[in-house]
Amino acid sequence: MHSNPTHSNGYHHQQQQQSGGDRRPAMTHRERVRRGPRGSSRLRESRDGHDGAAGLRVSGQKQQQRPPCTDFDMAYFHSYAHVGIHEEMIKDRVRTDTYRAAIMQHQSSIAGKVYAVDASEIAIQANEVVKANNLSDTVIVLHGRVEDVEIEEEVDVIISEWMGYMLLYESMLGSVIIARDRWLKPGGLILPSTATLYMAPVTHPDRYSDSIDFWRNVYGIDMSAIMPLAKQCAFEEPCVETIVGENILTWPHVVKHVDCYTVTISELESVTTRFNFKSMMRAPLHGFAFWFDVEFSGPAISPNNNQTTSLLTDTHPVDGSQRKKRTNPNEALVLSTAPEDPPTHWQQTLIYFYDPIEVEQDQLIEGSVTLSQSKENPRFMNIHLEYASGGRSFVKESVMR
């Protein structure tokens, strides 16, 4: 199974292995939305084999305050019940092959009994897939939120595909953090282990021409009066699209580095960074692009017992350099959504200016960006961008819904 980009919707698998070294919970958890929540399928398996919203009790653990399930959450989970969302993600070969490689690389920690949780109705179909493949003795699928399901034991592995557009869109990582704090054994494995969000200034004349300059002459008619409205319609909100390395004007800047073993929910509510770029060429500056990498590395602490439980829920250098998938099977894998790498369904996220800025080679581009969860709906992202170049300063605010 795969898990879609949705935070509370997380698709989680918990595995128990009766022999071998200390195995870690594998939780797969995924959430993403393209113009609205992208679906997320989260499956939970209960050790007593009962499907449904009721789950497993974690013995000896403190009761944590759990966030309520809002109307926004319910609508979000419902969106992930559509098979098309899962089809899009499964057909993303870069994404799926990298996760498969990471699972196979750590299969000794993952093999065994799996608990899978999903808050969307896709959990029902997932359970049928489990039965059709004669895996009912290994995989138990539960329909419910990570925040609400209870498990009797700690887990060894958490595998989750939680990344949204611009990495943090949809606030999916919160469910992984909750699962980590409730169930992950000391020294347990989290896949992916780290994530890094990057940004860089871009030039994209073709995109601007197709959307804006087109109105200057429409079959011989001057329709430039429409251009202000065209700019607003085309560039008011972030754009999810594919660009190439030639569109990038500078080396990227690290907006946020996430260590999945230590990151907190409060840390993700608002992220601010200051940037200072120097253009490598003379070109019109049309906006900023954002992309991310995630790294699948080994456990923080070596395993120390012979029992294995896995929870399957559906990074990078901070110096701006890009890391590729490793050829050494003992090294970490990297899934990159960078413009110079093979395209994924995440593509890149672009914040376009209403009007381009002409920059010279070596001209400075500086400012700050703040990404924060919307108070209207935490799954939305508010973007506050301040930038200056050539003695001119600007502010751009937008919301990714």
Side-chain angles (χ1 to χ4, degrees):
M1 282 307 297
H2 79 294
S3 81
N4 288 352
T6 308
H7 74 261
S8 301
N9 234 27
Y11 163 55
H12 303 277
H13 279 246
Q14 172 155 357
Q15 293 184 298
Q16 170 126 14
Q17 187 165 308
Q18 300 302 325
S19 61
D22 181 315
R23 306 300 189 246
R24 310 203 150 104
M27 242 185 181
T28 23
H29 154 206
R30 165 177 205 116
E31 309 190 316
R32 193 165 357 229
V33 182
R34 184 189 285 270
R35 249 352 98 179
R38 217 163 47 136
S40 123
S41 65
R42 307 291 189 287
L43 307 177
R44 285 202 185 194
E45 297 189 289
S46 70
R47 299 204 34 185
D48 54 13
H50 296 304
D51 293 333
L56 305 171
R57 178 154 285 127
V58 183
S59 59
Q61 290 192 358
K62 296 180 180 178
Q63 290 296 319
Q64 298 177 333
Q65 185 176 3
R66 301 171 190 174
C69 188
T70 66
D71 290 342
F72 286 118
D73 288 330
M74 294 305 297
Y76 183 67
F77 302 150
H78 180 70
S79 73
Y80 275 91
H82 196 290
V83 71
I85 291 174
H86 303 277
E87 179 181 354
E88 177 191 27
M89 288 183 285
I90 292 174
K91 286 182 175 178
D92 181 342
R93 293 300 299 267
V94 174
R95 161 206 177 267
T96 304
D97 285 349
T98 305
Y99 266 84
R100 181 182 185 277
I103 290 170
M104 296 304 294
Q105 182 170 308
H106 297 280
Q107 60 181 310
S108 61
S109 298
I110 296 171
K113 177 74 73 176
V114 173
Y115 298 99
V117 183
D118 198 316
S120 82
E121 295 293 332
I122 200 68
I124 297 172
Q125 282 71 41
N127 195 44
E128 293 304 312
V129 171
V130 169
K131 293 177 182 177
N133 288 273
N134 299 316
L135 295 172
S136 297
D137 291 339
T138 302
V139 180
I140 303 169
V141 178
L142 292 183
H143 181 200
R145 294 195 311 161
V146 171
E147 289 83 348
D148 299 328
V149 174
E150 296 184 357
I151 298 175
E152 289 181 341
E153 57 190 333
E154 292 181 322
V155 298
D156 303 278
V157 181
I158 295 177
I159 302 176
S160 176
E161 203 276 51
W162 53 265
M163 301 83 71
Y165 300 123
M166 291 182 74
L167 185 65
L168 302 177
Y169 174 57
E170 290 186 271
S171 300
M172 301 175 267
L173 182 54
S175 289
V176 179
I177 294 172
I178 290 173
R180 177 200 70 193
D181 293 346
R182 295 181 67 194
W183 298 313
L184 187 62
K185 290 181 180 178
L189 176 65
I190 302 178
L191 299 176
S193 311
T194 62
T196 306
L197 175 62
Y198 298 95
M199 70 178 292
V202 297
T203 183
H204 204 342
D206 291 344
R207 173 71 162 85
Y208 195 87
S209 177
D210 290 344
S211 300
I212 309 303
D213 291 339
F214 160 78
W215 297 102
R216 296 184 188 279
N217 186 328
V218 182
Y219 304 108
I221 299 173
D222 180 1
M223 299 186 68
S224 57
I226 294 179
M227 289 176 63
L229 177 61
K231 292 177 182 178
Q232 182 178 1
C233 292
F235 303 140
E236 181 178 15
E237 296 183 351
C239 300
V240 177
E241 56 192 50
T242 298
I243 58 174
V244 295
E246 287 74 15
N247 295 120
I248 305 299
L249 289 175
T250 72
W251 292 105
H253 169 79
V254 173
V255 176
K256 177 66 177 177
H257 179 76
V258 175
D259 183 338
C260 294
Y261 293 100
T262 60
V263 65
T264 63
I265 290 178
S266 60
E267 178 182 340
L268 301 172
E269 292 175 354
S270 182
V271 173
T272 299
T273 184
R274 293 200 61 82
F275 54 82
N276 193 316
F277 297 107
K278 182 181 289 188
S279 179
M280 294 188 293
M281 66 187 78
R282 179 182 182 183
L285 169 61
H286 289 102
F288 292 93
F290 295 79
W291 65 88
F292 64 86
D293 298 342
V294 295
E295 182 174 298
F296 300 78
S297 56
I301 304 173
S302 299
N304 55 12
N305 63 47
N306 294 324
Q307 291 291 326
T308 294
T309 304
S310 302
L311 182 63
L312 183 60
T313 67
D314 217 306
T315 24
H316 270 90
V318 293
D319 59 3
S321 61
Q322 296 295 308
R323 280 151 69 174
K324 308 297 182 184
K325 293 180 181 178
R326 320 288 177 76
T327 56
N328 186 336
N330 295 320
E331 291 185 328
L333 290 169
V334 174
L335 169 58
S336 175
T337 66
E340 67 269 23
D341 285 321
T344 70
H345 75 281
W346 284 284
Q347 301 177 278
Q348 291 84 41
T349 301
L350 285 97
I351 309 296
Y352 284 107
F353 307 154
Y354 292 130
D355 295 291
I357 302 172
E358 294 293 333
V359 298
E360 301 293 331
Q361 183 174 347
D362 295 329
Q363 183 170 321
L364 292 178
I365 305 165
E366 55 189 349
S368 66
V369 63
T370 297
L371 310 177
S372 58
Q373 293 179 1
S374 169
K375 296 191 183 308
E376 171 192 358
N377 181 350
R379 298 190 187 275
F380 295 166
M381 181 186 292
N382 293 330
I383 303 167
H384 180 85
L385 178 64
E386 298 181 9
Y387 57 100
S389 189
R392 304 171 64 194
S393 299
F394 307 87
V395 175
K396 175 76 182 286
E397 291 190 333
S398 56
V399 181
M400 196 164 195
R401 304 177 187 277

